[in-house]
Amino acid sequence: MIAIIKIMLSIKNMTNSPLTNLLLIAGTVFLAIAVIGQARLGFAEINPGFFGRLLALIIGLFSLTGAVVLVLFPVEIVDLIRNYLAQQIQQNLGLIIQV
C-alpha cells in the first residue's frame, strides 16, 4: 500500500515540472518510433530505417531516464549538492593545487 502511495506521489510530482513533462513525452514518442518503425499516419509517413530506430530507442531511453532522475532528485537537491561541492572546492583549493 505504501509503495502505491509513493508511486502516486511521484506521478503527481512529475506534473509539476515542465522539463520532466517534456522528457516524458519525448521519450514516449521516440520509443514509439523505435517500436513501430515503418508506419503511415494519414499523409505523414514514418520510415526511420534500422539506424534511425536504434537512435530513437537510445534517445527515448535517455529521455525517460532523465525524467525519472528529475522526479527522484528534484532540482533543489541537485543545486544544494552543487553548491556544497563548489564551497568545498573553494575551501580546499590550496590542497588540490599541491596534489
Side-chain angles (χ1 to χ4, degrees):
M1 185 68 177
I2 295 174
I4 295 172
I5 294 172
K6 285 183 180 180
I7 291 172
M8 291 180 73
L9 288 175
S10 295
I11 291 172
K12 182 179 179 184
N13 288 339
M14 288 180 89
T15 60
N16 293 337
S17 173
L19 180 61
T20 305
N21 288 340
L22 180 70
L23 288 173
L24 187 65
I25 292 169
T28 305
V29 168
F30 279 113
L31 284 180
I33 291 171
V35 170
I36 294 171
Q38 194 172 21
R40 182 174 269 172
L41 303 170
F43 60 89
E45 183 176 337
I46 300 174
N47 189 7
F50 174 75
F51 291 109
R53 290 176 72 182
L54 183 64
L55 186 62
L57 175 68
I58 292 169
I59 293 172
L61 289 176
F62 275 122
S63 296
L64 290 178
T65 304
V68 169
V69 166
L70 284 176
V71 168
L72 295 178
F73 304 107
V75 175
E76 295 83 14
I77 294 176
V78 174
D79 284 341
L80 182 68
I81 293 171
R82 185 187 64 184
N83 291 336
Y84 173 76
L85 290 175
Q87 181 184 13
Q88 291 300 318
I89 289 172
Q90 287 175 353
Q91 288 177 356
N92 300 314
L93 193 58
L95 296 173
I96 295 172
I97 292 173
Q98 289 177 358
V99 174

